[in-house]
Amino acid sequence: MNVKISFVALSISAALIPNATTAEERDMEVITVTASRMDKPVSAIPNTVTIIDQEQLEQQFRTTKDLSTIIGNLAPSFSPSRQKMSNTGETLRGRSPLIMIDGVPQSNPLRSGGRSGQTIDPAMIERIEIIHGANAMHGLGAQGGIINYITKKPTGDNEHQVSLDVTVPNSLDSDGISFGTSYAFSGESDQLDMIGSVSYRNNGVYYDANDQMIGVDTTQGESMDSQSADLFLKLGHDFDESRLELMLNHFNMENNGDYMAIKGDKENGVPTGAIKQNQPWEAANNQVTTTSLTYSHENIAGQQMQLQFFNQNFEAVYGGGCWSDFYDPSLEGSDQVTVCGTGSNGESLYYEQSRNKSVKWGVKASMLANNIAGSGLNLAYGMDIFRDTTQQDMVVSGASWVPQSTYENIAPYAQLDYDLIDNLTLSGGIRYEYARLKVDDYKTLYGYGDKDIQGGSPDFNETLFNLGASYKITPSTRIYTSFNQGFGMPDIGRVLRDGDSFPDLNPSIDDSLALTPVVTDNIEFGADYQGEYFSAKIAYYRSSTDYGTRMVEKEDGSGSFVVKREKSVIEGIESNITAYLGDHDDVGMNLAIQKGRYDSNDDMSVDTDLDGANLSPNRINLFWTHNFDNEISTRLQANFFMDKDFKDASDEIYSTFDGYTTVDASVSIPVYDGTLSVGIQNLLNEDYYTYYSQTVGKDTRYFKGMGRTATIGFTMPF
């Protein structure tokens, strides 16, 4: 990794910690990480961990409700938000993270679709747990780490809360006004405790720093000019030593379809624009229902037990277009389709769009034995069972683009922690993954080769390991190291639907190497300090895979991607520091530096830089919070995105990123029994193109970022 020694020395001297504490609560032992499967405190996990607590979420909500932006503000190794409905290209440490709600996977293993970041309203979240780097604690899909949204819990008091917020652009144009509202209740009786909420959000159009309307993504989905609603309910009952809890969350987001894109010109610096015109297809939307039933017992033969049964129903409709890829000669002249143009061979092209459906079922069973026979040995063991059925069809013609595919996975695991000597904790674990993919015979679309593919049931198995050590040099200082493996599948839908994935004369599912699982190795070294006046942490990591996946956008302008299977290596430094200046001020810095390369010529040597669809930019986040004696609080934060060149195997620059800086400011003021907040996002009205647009986008997706916006919110409990 080409980082100057002086810079590394500076980072180490800064030594950094995830911004997981406040001036009032600075003890890392207080917060336990449920995503670890052992409910460990942050200081006992030999990995970089970020906890975004309720106070930090409330600070971020003053300026934005976009979860990708919030995570990037506090965990800078996460990619900048695309500010769209799709989160394609948003990675953690350069690889896809596993996104969960209360441990229920939201990521779709068979056909990603880039919508796993739009499945819950932020108002329902109590905190966010982020475990950085590949790991197998929850199995499938955690090559970049785990992002676990922990939903709110009953407070024990019967109470209600109403929240309202309005966001206006710098131009004050009425069509750019966004607003949201939510109502929440919490209560308990002798038999039952409950918490529930309902929210509604209406997003106006977005404007850039020049007061020009930002272009719309009519293909993958657009969050501006949209509406979303969320219904959340959690019911629980406590027995003598156990608890039964039911969680339900239903999220629906729909674009209004009132705007069409105006093609930009990337080479000449002309951004993609928008014009008010009804889209001639069903507007993009997301509908997701997540349910889980969890039973926990504190003492079964001296062990803790947890059983979780979960289900997720996911449906996403993507925007339409007039593409030759979707031409079907059987529909020529049909009243079923609307002709929109003529192809290169004189064929009639028509509007078409796709719909992705996924149904997940699963069971997570775990046992935890602490301090076995007084030996200092802790053991967690159990089994995960998972089933996902996915298909992608065409909305207009009804044709199958991705055939119905079923993925079944069984994974027993065991994890040990051992306090070998005072202040030294060793950890190790093993997880065995057995998976099977079932696909019936099918035929690819006419525009994707029109190939007959023989179905099959290929199975896969992998044994994954993790090892770690954490040593407390002093009560305030520790060093740690770890080796973790992550398991995942390529975007199977993209493989199956593309005839080029099956070059043989008699193509078969069983013969496709492109369906081979991805195993990622993550090595990490870190140090952290937790003191009275400041906290700090630094970590170096190396993530590698011999047969990874890289998303590459097709050159036809359709906005669709194909999967490349290649070796890749990503290295990086993450560091954070927070200084506590008296009782009222916290000042800090978060930093993330990454470099990633892939093997472009199959010689098992990485030679080309990963692009912006696969790697985050280098960035520094600065922040200052101040709490007044009268309970007024303020936050000022800045995000510095650094310039970057991407080079190919010949050391020639094939893409560039012009960095930019955004500044946000907010204040929270107690008013009567409620709280009034005012936030300004992009305070200095920075004019910029988004990271994804600069590094990956084409003329049809060359989007500016949002200009200055002001948000006023009010929350009233009663």
Side-chain angles (χ1 to χ4, degrees), residues 2 95 549-552 564 566-571 594-612 614-615 644-655:
N2 297 324
R95 301 194 188 277
T549 61
R550 183 172 61 94
M551 303 305 301
V552 181
K564 297 289 188 180
E566 302 153 334
K567 178 179 180 178
S568 63
V569 176
I570 299 172
E571 295 177 280
Q594 292 184 13
K595 181 174 182 179
R597 312 201 87 194
Y598 69 91
D599 173 18
S600 66
N601 56 8
D602 296 326
D603 66 354
M604 295 306 293
S605 176
V606 294
D607 52 34
T608 302
D609 291 342
L610 289 166
D611 64 12
N614 300 274
L615 198 68
K644 190 168 187 175
D645 293 330
F646 302 86
K647 298 182 178 181
D648 61 20
S650 300
D651 207 35
E652 297 291 330
I653 296 175
Y654 71 87
S655 181

Side-chain angles (χ1 to χ4, degrees), residues 183-243:
Y183 162 73
F185 66 89
S186 177
E188 66 175 19
S189 65
D190 292 338
Q191 300 297 321
L192 188 70
D193 59 64
M194 66 177 66
I195 185 171
S197 60
V198 60
S199 71
Y200 172 79
R201 181 157 301 281
N202 189 305
N203 290 325
V205 297
Y206 302 157
Y207 286 88
D208 64 22
N210 300 313
D211 296 334
Q212 298 297 310
M213 190 180 298
I214 292 174
V216 295
D217 190 337
T218 56
T219 305
Q220 290 191 347
E222 182 59 64
S223 58
M224 79 177 195
D225 184 41
S226 70
Q227 305 172 70
S228 64
D230 198 317
L231 172 65
F232 170 74
L233 181 64
K234 184 182 286 185
L235 305 173
H237 175 72
D238 289 318
F239 301 92
D240 289 339
E241 294 184 296
S242 60
R243 176 173 174 81

Side-chain angles (χ1 to χ4, degrees), residues 632-690:
I632 295 176
S633 67
T634 62
R635 182 179 177 94
L636 183 67
Q637 62 187 26
N639 289 284
F640 298 88
F641 298 92
M642 306 178 195
D643 294 350
K644 190 168 187 175
D645 293 330
F646 302 86
K647 298 182 178 181
D648 61 20
S650 300
D651 207 35
E652 297 291 330
I653 296 175
Y654 71 87
S655 181
T656 61
F657 170 61
D658 292 328
Y660 55 88
T661 300
T662 60
V663 179
D664 307 326
S666 66
V667 60
S668 173
I669 306 169
V671 176
Y672 298 106
D673 293 328
T675 302
L676 175 69
S677 67
V678 179
I680 301 178
Q681 187 177 27
N682 196 359
L683 175 67
L684 304 181
N685 205 28
E686 175 83 354
D687 183 24
Y688 68 96
Y689 290 90
T690 65

